[in-house]
Amino acid sequence: MKKIVFAFMALLGTAAFAKEYNIGDTGPGGGIVFYVSKSGFDVDDGMGSVETCHYLEVSKEDLGQTSWTPSPAVFLDDLDETYAIGSGKANTFLIAYAGLCPEEVTAENCAAYACFEYRTKTTKPGDWYLPSSDELKLVFKNLSYEQLHVTSKEFYWSSSEESGGSAWARKNKTSTVDEKGKKFNVRAVHAF
């Protein structure tokens, strides 16, 4: 009985002292926290697992310029679900690894692949992903250009599709639909 009580107290102690983050803080992956949800949000990994998270962080640096995919053939089944907070990770996996693109994807020709393969000292490939359009919108809403080290003229890809040949991108507070073959900047996002 004492072991059970001790284990329960240890569990309570861990939960009580869990680190809290604010927008602008450095997250556990080394990125900049840009979204906080006390109630939490679901993150689907695209492989059948769903995790409840409370924070989103964005990489401190751009991962370079790349096209959305090397060809326009990818088209995700339920477009309504590809926009929401928490859907970017599943989108990324489907784009980069589910064989929806007929050509081989690389970090140089696929924004989702570049994000999926990104890692820091405290994270591994698969922890980061290409943000959905709603997640990318929050990056630019909640962080300044100075925090992101960007200008207001740069476009960034999201993982949200519009059609087989086009996807959503964002430049500061403006979103646009553009051809998947165009080269835009990429930032990775990590949910925790």
Side-chain angles (χ1 to χ4, degrees):
M1 182 68 163
K2 287 181 181 179
K3 286 183 181 179
I4 294 172
V5 171
F6 180 76
F8 181 70
M9 288 174 64
L11 181 63
L12 281 176
T14 302
F17 296 107
K19 180 163 175 54
E20 290 189 19
Y21 296 87
N22 295 305
I23 291 175
D25 288 350
T26 297
I32 307 165
V33 175
F34 69 92
Y35 181 67
V36 176
S37 171
K38 291 198 186 283
S39 61
F41 56 95
D42 288 339
V43 177
D44 181 345
D45 69 358
M47 297 176 275
S49 293
V50 177
E51 178 182 5
T52 299
C53 295
H54 296 274
Y55 304 97
L56 288 170
E57 65 181 315
V58 64
S59 60
K60 288 186 177 179
E61 66 275 340
D62 285 351
L63 306 187
Q65 285 198 343
T66 186
S67 53
W68 199 82
T69 54
S71 68
V74 176
F75 195 69
L76 305 176
D77 290 337
D78 190 347
L79 289 177
D80 291 340
E81 293 181 11
T82 70
Y83 295 89
I85 294 167
S87 65
K89 192 166 190 172
N91 295 348
T92 298
F93 176 76
L94 291 171
I95 295 162
Y97 289 96
L100 299 176
C101 184
E103 296 177 42
E104 182 180 349
V105 294
T106 66
E108 290 74 35
N109 69 10
C110 179
Y113 186 87
C115 291
F116 193 88
E117 291 297 315
Y118 180 70
R119 66 179 142 245
T120 64
K121 290 179 183 177
T122 57
T123 62
K124 63 189 180 315
D127 289 343
W128 294 81
Y129 60 89
L130 185 64
S132 69
S133 61
D134 287 355
E135 291 166 339
L136 189 58
K137 180 179 181 180
L138 287 171
V139 169
F140 288 102
K141 177 182 177 193
N142 294 336
L143 298 176
S144 69
Y145 299 137
E146 292 78 23
Q147 287 172 299
L148 294 167
H149 302 289
V150 301
T151 69
S152 62
K153 298 177 180 168
E154 300 174 62
F155 275 101
Y156 286 83
W157 279 122
S158 82
S159 62
S160 302
E161 262 184 321
E162 176 62 20
S163 68
S166 61
W168 286 93
R170 178 164 287 276
K171 176 175 74 170
N172 59 59
K173 305 209 183 323
T174 306
S175 60
T176 186
V177 173
D178 222 316
E179 296 174 11
K180 292 178 179 177
K182 283 201 175 173
K183 292 198 180 244
F184 288 145
N185 293 314
V186 178
R187 284 280 174 117
V189 165
H190 174 231
F192 62 100

